[in-house]
Amino acid sequence: MFVVSAPSGAGKTSLCRELIDSIPDLRQSISFTTRNIRDGEQDGVDYFFTQTDSFQRMIAEQLLAEYAEVHGNYYGTSLETLNTAEAEGVDLLLDIDCQGAAQLKKNYRRGVFIFILPPDFAELKKRLYNRGTDHEDVIQRRLENAEQELLQAPWYDYLVINDDFQSAKKKLMAIITAERCRMSRTTYLLNNFTVKGDK
Ligand code: 5GP
């Protein structure tokens, strides 16, 4: 489980898309959300778009591995998403906020937690304005949230600065490759060398 968090405007969504396209056996986790569907988004592809009462039922029935309220809407990852990936032997890439990441960190010690940032606050502000997709009040709220999210950064395992897209992508790929080679995740491969009489 690779968990990626970043303030809005850090380039996280594009980087995650690139990783999914470039790395075998890595699957994007599709979250549930109560926010409205945006132009160009598809239900079941970008998110599972859900009514608030359905989402609250999922919370009550403990069907979520984590959830949080972000920018005024609920977002969450279902336990089924994690279980299916595990059963199928693929790694999951989760693009989720710090509150949800903290819940997973507490409950799933085997997760790898990565924080992405632009080089500095001025650049973050510039990227949010240049996107041209949000109103001034939304941008202000996202900047305030970013300050809060920064306080969470130190407990993540890795920090990737997205000053240049290709170099940030390379760093993320290196992290995933290295984590997949950890002895704690690969000891089962040693069994290939224990067949007697095969010397
Ligand atoms: P957006 O509405 O722009 O797609 O996403 C807003 C924020 O919600 C992003 O920071 C994204 O990482 C976060 N988010 C998306 N899915 C989930 C989820 O399943 N759980 C949590 N905790 N946050 C999520």
Side-chain angles (χ1 to χ4, degrees), residues 4-6 8 12 31-33 35 38 41 47 66-68 70-71 75-77 95-101 142 149:
V4 177
S5 303
S8 308
K12 173 184 54 165
S31 299
F32 286 78
T33 184
R35 87 148 156 73
R38 293 181 188 141
E41 285 183 330
Y47 282 103
E66 62 76 30
Y67 70 93
V70 188
H71 310 316
Y75 293 82
T77 309
D95 165 351
I96 67 174
D97 90 314
C98 298
Q99 306 169 74
R142 291 190 176 219
E149 284 163 339

PDB file of all heavy atoms in Angstrom, residues 4-6 8 12 31-33 35 38 41 47 66-68 70-71 75-77 95-101 142 149, ligand 1:
ATOM      1  N   VAL A   4      -0.153   8.348  -0.825  1.00  0.00           N
ATOM      2  CA  VAL A   4       0.431   9.618  -1.234  1.00  0.00           C
ATOM      3  C   VAL A   4      -0.485  10.758  -0.801  1.00  0.00           C
ATOM      4  O   VAL A   4      -1.680  10.753  -1.095  1.00  0.00           O
ATOM      5  CB  VAL A   4       0.598   9.638  -2.778  1.00  0.00           C
ATOM      6  CG1 VAL A   4       1.146  10.971  -3.227  1.00  0.00           C
ATOM      7  CG2 VAL A   4       1.511   8.513  -3.234  1.00  0.00           C
ATOM      8  N   SER A   5       0.083  11.733  -0.099  1.00  0.00           N
ATOM      9  CA  SER A   5      -0.684  12.926   0.287  1.00  0.00           C
ATOM     10  C   SER A   5       0.081  14.166  -0.161  1.00  0.00           C
ATOM     11  O   SER A   5       1.309  14.144  -0.264  1.00  0.00           O
ATOM     12  CB  SER A   5      -0.867  13.024   1.798  1.00  0.00           C
ATOM     13  OG  SER A   5      -1.492  11.898   2.318  1.00  0.00           O
ATOM     14  N   ALA A   6      -0.683  15.239  -0.378  1.00  0.00           N
ATOM     15  CA  ALA A   6      -0.068  16.506  -0.782  1.00  0.00           C
ATOM     16  C   ALA A   6      -1.115  17.593  -0.711  1.00  0.00           C
ATOM     17  O   ALA A   6      -2.293  17.305  -0.873  1.00  0.00           O
ATOM     18  CB  ALA A   6       0.445  16.410  -2.215  1.00  0.00           C
ATOM     19  N   SER A   8      -3.360  20.593  -2.233  1.00  0.00           N
ATOM     20  CA  SER A   8      -3.836  20.832  -3.610  1.00  0.00           C
ATOM     21  C   SER A   8      -2.831  21.722  -4.319  1.00  0.00           C
ATOM     22  O   SER A   8      -2.367  22.702  -3.737  1.00  0.00           O
ATOM     23  CB  SER A   8      -5.165  21.596  -3.615  1.00  0.00           C
ATOM     24  OG  SER A   8      -6.089  20.991  -2.805  1.00  0.00           O
ATOM     25  N   LYS A  12       0.057  16.140  -7.346  1.00  0.00           N
ATOM     26  CA  LYS A  12      -0.080  14.740  -6.924  1.00  0.00           C
ATOM     27  C   LYS A  12      -0.901  13.897  -7.899  1.00  0.00           C
ATOM     28  O   LYS A  12      -0.519  12.770  -8.227  1.00  0.00           O
ATOM     29  CB  LYS A  12      -0.724  14.756  -5.538  1.00  0.00           C
ATOM     30  CG  LYS A  12      -1.109  13.438  -4.962  1.00  0.00           C
ATOM     31  CD  LYS A  12      -1.827  13.624  -3.643  1.00  0.00           C
ATOM     32  CE  LYS A  12      -2.995  14.575  -3.793  1.00  0.00           C
ATOM     33  NZ  LYS A  12      -3.945  14.538  -2.681  1.00  0.00           N
ATOM     34  N   SER A  31     -11.625   5.868  -4.519  1.00  0.00           N
ATOM     35  CA  SER A  31     -12.266   6.254  -3.261  1.00  0.00           C
ATOM     36  C   SER A  31     -13.760   6.480  -3.440  1.00  0.00           C
ATOM     37  O   SER A  31     -14.233   6.717  -4.558  1.00  0.00           O
ATOM     38  CB  SER A  31     -11.661   7.568  -2.767  1.00  0.00           C
ATOM     39  OG  SER A  31     -10.291   7.424  -2.539  1.00  0.00           O
ATOM     40  N   PHE A  32     -14.461   6.471  -2.332  1.00  0.00           N
ATOM     41  CA  PHE A  32     -15.852   6.918  -2.298  1.00  0.00           C
ATOM     42  C   PHE A  32     -15.847   8.392  -1.905  1.00  0.00           C
ATOM     43  O   PHE A  32     -15.043   8.806  -1.067  1.00  0.00           O
ATOM     44  CB  PHE A  32     -16.638   6.118  -1.256  1.00  0.00           C
ATOM     45  CG  PHE A  32     -16.930   4.709  -1.703  1.00  0.00           C
ATOM     46  CD1 PHE A  32     -15.937   3.738  -1.644  1.00  0.00           C
ATOM     47  CD2 PHE A  32     -18.184   4.374  -2.199  1.00  0.00           C
ATOM     48  CE1 PHE A  32     -16.188   2.446  -2.072  1.00  0.00           C
ATOM     49  CE2 PHE A  32     -18.444   3.074  -2.622  1.00  0.00           C
ATOM     50  CZ  PHE A  32     -17.454   2.110  -2.567  1.00  0.00           C
ATOM     51  N   THR A  33     -16.735   9.180  -2.509  1.00  0.00           N
ATOM     52  CA  THR A  33     -16.846  10.585  -2.096  1.00  0.00           C
ATOM     53  C   THR A  33     -18.279  11.078  -2.222  1.00  0.00           C
ATOM     54  O   THR A  33     -19.042  10.583  -3.061  1.00  0.00           O
ATOM     55  CB  THR A  33     -15.919  11.508  -2.918  1.00  0.00           C
ATOM     56  OG1 THR A  33     -16.020  12.834  -2.392  1.00  0.00           O
ATOM     57  CG2 THR A  33     -16.271  11.536  -4.392  1.00  0.00           C
ATOM     58  N   ARG A  35     -18.667  14.359  -2.792  1.00  0.00           N
ATOM     59  CA  ARG A  35     -18.626  15.620  -3.549  1.00  0.00           C
ATOM     60  C   ARG A  35     -19.254  15.426  -4.937  1.00  0.00           C
ATOM     61  O   ARG A  35     -19.365  14.306  -5.433  1.00  0.00           O
ATOM     62  CB  ARG A  35     -17.196  16.160  -3.625  1.00  0.00           C
ATOM     63  CG  ARG A  35     -16.360  15.656  -4.757  1.00  0.00           C
ATOM     64  CD  ARG A  35     -15.375  16.733  -5.220  1.00  0.00           C
ATOM     65  NE  ARG A  35     -14.207  16.180  -5.895  1.00  0.00           N
ATOM     66  CZ  ARG A  35     -14.198  15.660  -7.116  1.00  0.00           C
ATOM     67  NH1 ARG A  35     -15.319  15.549  -7.812  1.00  0.00           N
ATOM     68  NH2 ARG A  35     -13.068  15.218  -7.635  1.00  0.00           N
ATOM     69  N   ARG A  38     -17.228  16.191 -11.243  1.00  0.00           N
ATOM     70  CA  ARG A  38     -16.782  17.327 -12.073  1.00  0.00           C
ATOM     71  C   ARG A  38     -16.833  16.946 -13.549  1.00  0.00           C
ATOM     72  O   ARG A  38     -16.817  15.756 -13.877  1.00  0.00           O
ATOM     73  CB  ARG A  38     -15.331  17.694 -11.739  1.00  0.00           C
ATOM     74  CG  ARG A  38     -15.150  18.261 -10.354  1.00  0.00           C
ATOM     75  CD  ARG A  38     -13.680  18.610 -10.127  1.00  0.00           C
ATOM     76  NE  ARG A  38     -13.445  18.977  -8.741  1.00  0.00           N
ATOM     77  CZ  ARG A  38     -12.365  18.627  -8.030  1.00  0.00           C
ATOM     78  NH1 ARG A  38     -11.418  17.893  -8.574  1.00  0.00           N
ATOM     79  NH2 ARG A  38     -12.229  19.009  -6.788  1.00  0.00           N
ATOM     80  N   GLU A  41     -15.130  13.749 -15.308  1.00  0.00           N
ATOM     81  CA  GLU A  41     -14.963  12.618 -14.383  1.00  0.00           C
ATOM     82  C   GLU A  41     -16.012  11.543 -14.662  1.00  0.00           C
ATOM     83  O   GLU A  41     -17.091  11.834 -15.179  1.00  0.00           O
ATOM     84  CB  GLU A  41     -15.101  13.095 -12.921  1.00  0.00           C
ATOM     85  CG  GLU A  41     -13.882  13.854 -12.444  1.00  0.00           C
ATOM     86  CD  GLU A  41     -13.991  14.259 -10.974  1.00  0.00           C
ATOM     87  OE1 GLU A  41     -15.109  14.478 -10.486  1.00  0.00           O
ATOM     88  OE2 GLU A  41     -12.955  14.376 -10.328  1.00  0.00           O
ATOM     89  N   TYR A  47     -13.890   8.277  -9.008  1.00  0.00           N
ATOM     90  CA  TYR A  47     -14.391   8.030  -7.647  1.00  0.00           C
ATOM     91  C   TYR A  47     -15.650   7.190  -7.783  1.00  0.00           C
ATOM     92  O   TYR A  47     -16.226   7.092  -8.870  1.00  0.00           O
ATOM     93  CB  TYR A  47     -14.827   9.355  -6.988  1.00  0.00           C
ATOM     94  CG  TYR A  47     -13.713  10.229  -6.461  1.00  0.00           C
ATOM     95  CD1 TYR A  47     -13.302  11.360  -7.171  1.00  0.00           C
ATOM     96  CD2 TYR A  47     -13.101   9.956  -5.252  1.00  0.00           C
ATOM     97  CE1 TYR A  47     -12.295  12.188  -6.692  1.00  0.00           C
ATOM     98  CE2 TYR A  47     -12.089  10.776  -4.758  1.00  0.00           C
ATOM     99  CZ  TYR A  47     -11.688  11.881  -5.483  1.00  0.00           C
ATOM    100  OH  TYR A  47     -10.686  12.691  -5.008  1.00  0.00           O
ATOM    101  N   GLU A  66     -10.568   3.842   6.022  1.00  0.00           N
ATOM    102  CA  GLU A  66     -10.312   5.198   6.518  1.00  0.00           C
ATOM    103  C   GLU A  66     -11.312   6.110   5.853  1.00  0.00           C
ATOM    104  O   GLU A  66     -11.814   5.801   4.773  1.00  0.00           O
ATOM    105  CB  GLU A  66      -8.877   5.659   6.205  1.00  0.00           C
ATOM    106  CG  GLU A  66      -8.510   5.748   4.725  1.00  0.00           C
ATOM    107  CD  GLU A  66      -9.076   6.961   3.996  1.00  0.00           C
ATOM    108  OE1 GLU A  66      -9.266   8.008   4.616  1.00  0.00           O
ATOM    109  OE2 GLU A  66      -9.359   6.853   2.796  1.00  0.00           O
ATOM    110  N   TYR A  67     -11.597   7.242   6.483  1.00  0.00           N
ATOM    111  CA  TYR A  67     -12.408   8.273   5.831  1.00  0.00           C
ATOM    112  C   TYR A  67     -12.133   9.610   6.491  1.00  0.00           C
ATOM    113  O   TYR A  67     -11.584   9.658   7.607  1.00  0.00           O
ATOM    114  CB  TYR A  67     -13.906   7.942   5.902  1.00  0.00           C
ATOM    115  CG  TYR A  67     -14.498   8.046   7.280  1.00  0.00           C
ATOM    116  CD1 TYR A  67     -15.092   9.234   7.710  1.00  0.00           C
ATOM    117  CD2 TYR A  67     -14.447   6.987   8.163  1.00  0.00           C
ATOM    118  CE1 TYR A  67     -15.620   9.349   8.988  1.00  0.00           C
ATOM    119  CE2 TYR A  67     -14.964   7.095   9.441  1.00  0.00           C
ATOM    120  CZ  TYR A  67     -15.551   8.273   9.843  1.00  0.00           C
ATOM    121  OH  TYR A  67     -16.056   8.385  11.110  1.00  0.00           O
ATOM    122  N   ALA A  68     -12.490  10.679   5.803  1.00  0.00           N
ATOM    123  CA  ALA A  68     -12.270  12.014   6.358  1.00  0.00           C
ATOM    124  C   ALA A  68     -13.190  12.999   5.663  1.00  0.00           C
ATOM    125  O   ALA A  68     -13.700  12.725   4.564  1.00  0.00           O
ATOM    126  CB  ALA A  68     -10.812  12.429   6.150  1.00  0.00           C
ATOM    127  N   VAL A  70     -13.031  16.376   3.793  1.00  0.00           N
ATOM    128  CA  VAL A  70     -12.019  17.223   3.148  1.00  0.00           C
ATOM    129  C   VAL A  70     -12.747  18.290   2.342  1.00  0.00           C
ATOM    130  O   VAL A  70     -13.631  17.960   1.542  1.00  0.00           O
ATOM    131  CB  VAL A  70     -11.119  16.402   2.192  1.00  0.00           C
ATOM    132  CG1 VAL A  70      -9.947  17.243   1.680  1.00  0.00           C
ATOM    133  CG2 VAL A  70     -10.596  15.127   2.839  1.00  0.00           C
ATOM    134  N   HIS A  71     -12.367  19.555   2.520  1.00  0.00           N
ATOM    135  CA  HIS A  71     -12.995  20.674   1.795  1.00  0.00           C
ATOM    136  C   HIS A  71     -14.524  20.567   1.834  1.00  0.00           C
ATOM    137  O   HIS A  71     -15.199  20.783   0.817  1.00  0.00           O
ATOM    138  CB  HIS A  71     -12.534  20.728   0.322  1.00  0.00           C
ATOM    139  CG  HIS A  71     -11.047  20.667   0.112  1.00  0.00           C
ATOM    140  ND1 HIS A  71     -10.149  21.384   0.868  1.00  0.00           N
ATOM    141  CD2 HIS A  71     -10.291  19.944  -0.760  1.00  0.00           C
ATOM    142  CE1 HIS A  71      -8.910  21.125   0.461  1.00  0.00           C
ATOM    143  NE2 HIS A  71      -8.968  20.235  -0.514  1.00  0.00           N
ATOM    144  N   TYR A  75     -14.733  11.764   2.084  1.00  0.00           N
ATOM    145  CA  TYR A  75     -13.944  10.917   1.184  1.00  0.00           C
ATOM    146  C   TYR A  75     -13.527   9.684   1.985  1.00  0.00           C
ATOM    147  O   TYR A  75     -13.190   9.803   3.164  1.00  0.00           O
ATOM    148  CB  TYR A  75     -12.654  11.611   0.737  1.00  0.00           C
ATOM    149  CG  TYR A  75     -12.838  12.812  -0.151  1.00  0.00           C
ATOM    150  CD1 TYR A  75     -13.144  14.055   0.395  1.00  0.00           C
ATOM    151  CD2 TYR A  75     -12.685  12.702  -1.529  1.00  0.00           C
ATOM    152  CE1 TYR A  75     -13.298  15.166  -0.419  1.00  0.00           C
ATOM    153  CE2 TYR A  75     -12.833  13.812  -2.350  1.00  0.00           C
ATOM    154  CZ  TYR A  75     -13.148  15.045  -1.791  1.00  0.00           C
ATOM    155  OH  TYR A  75     -13.295  16.138  -2.596  1.00  0.00           O
ATOM    156  N   GLY A  76     -13.496   8.508   1.353  1.00  0.00           N
ATOM    157  CA  GLY A  76     -13.062   7.329   2.096  1.00  0.00           C
ATOM    158  C   GLY A  76     -12.652   6.174   1.199  1.00  0.00           C
ATOM    159  O   GLY A  76     -13.012   6.099   0.022  1.00  0.00           O
ATOM    160  N   THR A  77     -11.863   5.272   1.790  1.00  0.00           N
ATOM    161  CA  THR A  77     -11.379   4.071   1.091  1.00  0.00           C
ATOM    162  C   THR A  77     -12.081   2.866   1.695  1.00  0.00           C
ATOM    163  O   THR A  77     -12.076   2.705   2.918  1.00  0.00           O
ATOM    164  CB  THR A  77      -9.860   3.903   1.321  1.00  0.00           C
ATOM    165  OG1 THR A  77      -9.210   5.136   1.001  1.00  0.00           O
ATOM    166  CG2 THR A  77      -9.293   2.767   0.476  1.00  0.00           C
ATOM    167  N   ASP A  95      -4.368   7.971  -3.168  1.00  0.00           N
ATOM    168  CA  ASP A  95      -4.179   9.424  -3.196  1.00  0.00           C
ATOM    169  C   ASP A  95      -5.186   9.987  -2.196  1.00  0.00           C
ATOM    170  O   ASP A  95      -6.351  10.190  -2.538  1.00  0.00           O
ATOM    171  CB  ASP A  95      -4.441   9.857  -4.645  1.00  0.00           C
ATOM    172  CG  ASP A  95      -4.652  11.343  -4.810  1.00  0.00           C
ATOM    173  OD1 ASP A  95      -4.770  12.067  -3.813  1.00  0.00           O
ATOM    174  OD2 ASP A  95      -4.716  11.780  -5.982  1.00  0.00           O
ATOM    175  N   ILE A  96      -4.747  10.149  -0.946  1.00  0.00           N
ATOM    176  CA  ILE A  96      -5.706  10.539   0.097  1.00  0.00           C
ATOM    177  C   ILE A  96      -5.138  11.642   0.987  1.00  0.00           C
ATOM    178  O   ILE A  96      -3.929  11.885   0.972  1.00  0.00           O
ATOM    179  CB  ILE A  96      -6.141   9.332   0.966  1.00  0.00           C
ATOM    180  CG1 ILE A  96      -5.000   8.792   1.796  1.00  0.00           C
ATOM    181  CG2 ILE A  96      -6.751   8.241   0.094  1.00  0.00           C
ATOM    182  CD1 ILE A  96      -5.418   7.702   2.757  1.00  0.00           C
ATOM    183  N   ASP A  97      -6.004  12.287   1.760  1.00  0.00           N
ATOM    184  CA  ASP A  97      -5.538  13.404   2.577  1.00  0.00           C
ATOM    185  C   ASP A  97      -4.840  12.909   3.861  1.00  0.00           C
ATOM    186  O   ASP A  97      -4.850  11.712   4.150  1.00  0.00           O
ATOM    187  CB  ASP A  97      -6.705  14.349   2.906  1.00  0.00           C
ATOM    188  CG  ASP A  97      -7.396  13.961   4.185  1.00  0.00           C
ATOM    189  OD1 ASP A  97      -7.686  12.760   4.367  1.00  0.00           O
ATOM    190  OD2 ASP A  97      -7.628  14.845   5.018  1.00  0.00           O
ATOM    191  N   CYS A  98      -4.270  13.862   4.603  1.00  0.00           N
ATOM    192  CA  CYS A  98      -3.457  13.505   5.787  1.00  0.00           C
ATOM    193  C   CYS A  98      -4.265  12.824   6.888  1.00  0.00           C
ATOM    194  O   CYS A  98      -3.747  11.947   7.576  1.00  0.00           O
ATOM    195  CB  CYS A  98      -2.841  14.762   6.387  1.00  0.00           C
ATOM    196  SG  CYS A  98      -1.754  15.584   5.270  1.00  0.00           S
ATOM    197  N   GLN A  99      -5.529  13.231   7.048  1.00  0.00           N
ATOM    198  CA  GLN A  99      -6.344  12.626   8.117  1.00  0.00           C
ATOM    199  C   GLN A  99      -6.551  11.142   7.835  1.00  0.00           C
ATOM    200  O   GLN A  99      -6.405  10.288   8.720  1.00  0.00           O
ATOM    201  CB  GLN A  99      -7.713  13.282   8.192  1.00  0.00           C
ATOM    202  CG  GLN A  99      -7.713  14.785   8.334  1.00  0.00           C
ATOM    203  CD  GLN A  99      -9.106  15.336   8.117  1.00  0.00           C
ATOM    204  OE1 GLN A  99      -9.976  15.202   8.960  1.00  0.00           O
ATOM    205  NE2 GLN A  99      -9.338  15.958   6.967  1.00  0.00           N
ATOM    206  N   GLY A 100      -6.865  10.814   6.575  1.00  0.00           N
ATOM    207  CA  GLY A 100      -7.067   9.411   6.194  1.00  0.00           C
ATOM    208  C   GLY A 100      -5.761   8.634   6.265  1.00  0.00           C
ATOM    209  O   GLY A 100      -5.718   7.494   6.733  1.00  0.00           O
ATOM    210  N   ALA A 101      -4.673   9.284   5.827  1.00  0.00           N
ATOM    211  CA  ALA A 101      -3.365   8.622   5.854  1.00  0.00           C
ATOM    212  C   ALA A 101      -2.982   8.274   7.293  1.00  0.00           C
ATOM    213  O   ALA A 101      -2.459   7.186   7.562  1.00  0.00           O
ATOM    214  CB  ALA A 101      -2.315   9.532   5.214  1.00  0.00           C
ATOM    215  N   ARG A 142      -8.070  26.277   0.322  1.00  0.00           N
ATOM    216  CA  ARG A 142      -7.043  25.253   0.033  1.00  0.00           C
ATOM    217  C   ARG A 142      -5.681  25.668   0.579  1.00  0.00           C
ATOM    218  O   ARG A 142      -4.915  24.833   1.040  1.00  0.00           O
ATOM    219  CB  ARG A 142      -6.982  24.978  -1.476  1.00  0.00           C
ATOM    220  CG  ARG A 142      -8.241  24.287  -1.915  1.00  0.00           C
ATOM    221  CD  ARG A 142      -8.257  23.749  -3.309  1.00  0.00           C
ATOM    222  NE  ARG A 142      -9.525  23.048  -3.451  1.00  0.00           N
ATOM    223  CZ  ARG A 142      -9.714  21.926  -4.086  1.00  0.00           C
ATOM    224  NH1 ARG A 142      -8.715  21.337  -4.675  1.00  0.00           N
ATOM    225  NH2 ARG A 142     -10.900  21.361  -4.150  1.00  0.00           N
ATOM    226  N   GLU A 149      -1.892  20.841   6.602  1.00  0.00           N
ATOM    227  CA  GLU A 149      -1.348  19.571   6.097  1.00  0.00           C
ATOM    228  C   GLU A 149       0.168  19.508   6.272  1.00  0.00           C
ATOM    229  O   GLU A 149       0.721  18.453   6.559  1.00  0.00           O
ATOM    230  CB  GLU A 149      -1.728  19.396   4.615  1.00  0.00           C
ATOM    231  CG  GLU A 149      -3.180  18.985   4.454  1.00  0.00           C
ATOM    232  CD  GLU A 149      -3.691  19.191   3.038  1.00  0.00           C
ATOM    233  OE1 GLU A 149      -3.110  19.985   2.275  1.00  0.00           O
ATOM    234  OE2 GLU A 149      -4.696  18.573   2.695  1.00  0.00           O
TER     235      GLU A 149
HETATM  236  P1  5GP B   1     -10.564  16.170  -5.024  1.00  0.00           P
HETATM  237  O1  5GP B   1     -11.954  16.540  -4.599  1.00  0.00           O
HETATM  238  O2  5GP B   1      -9.801  17.365  -5.517  1.00  0.00           O
HETATM  239  O3  5GP B   1     -10.562  15.007  -5.991  1.00  0.00           O
HETATM  240  O4  5GP B   1      -9.784  15.635  -3.738  1.00  0.00           O
HETATM  241  C1  5GP B   1      -9.705  16.432  -2.603  1.00  0.00           C
HETATM  242  C2  5GP B   1      -8.819  15.783  -1.558  1.00  0.00           C
HETATM  243  O5  5GP B   1      -9.414  14.573  -1.068  1.00  0.00           O
HETATM  244  C3  5GP B   1      -7.443  15.373  -2.056  1.00  0.00           C
HETATM  245  O6  5GP B   1      -6.482  15.837  -1.112  1.00  0.00           O
HETATM  246  C4  5GP B   1      -7.470  13.868  -2.059  1.00  0.00           C
HETATM  247  O7  5GP B   1      -6.205  13.336  -1.782  1.00  0.00           O
HETATM  248  C5  5GP B   1      -8.431  13.596  -0.925  1.00  0.00           C
HETATM  249  N1  5GP B   1      -9.003  12.246  -1.041  1.00  0.00           N
HETATM  250  C6  5GP B   1      -9.384  11.599  -2.160  1.00  0.00           C
HETATM  251  N2  5GP B   1      -9.836  10.375  -1.872  1.00  0.00           N
HETATM  252  C7  5GP B   1      -9.728  10.226  -0.528  1.00  0.00           C
HETATM  253  C8  5GP B   1     -10.014   9.147   0.386  1.00  0.00           C
HETATM  254  O8  5GP B   1     -10.460   8.068   0.015  1.00  0.00           O
HETATM  255  N3  5GP B   1      -9.770   9.377   1.696  1.00  0.00           N
HETATM  256  C9  5GP B   1      -9.270  10.550   2.156  1.00  0.00           C
HETATM  257  N4  5GP B   1      -9.046  10.650   3.467  1.00  0.00           N
HETATM  258  N5  5GP B   1      -8.978  11.580   1.339  1.00  0.00           N
HETATM  259  C10 5GP B   1      -9.202  11.415   0.015  1.00  0.00           C
END
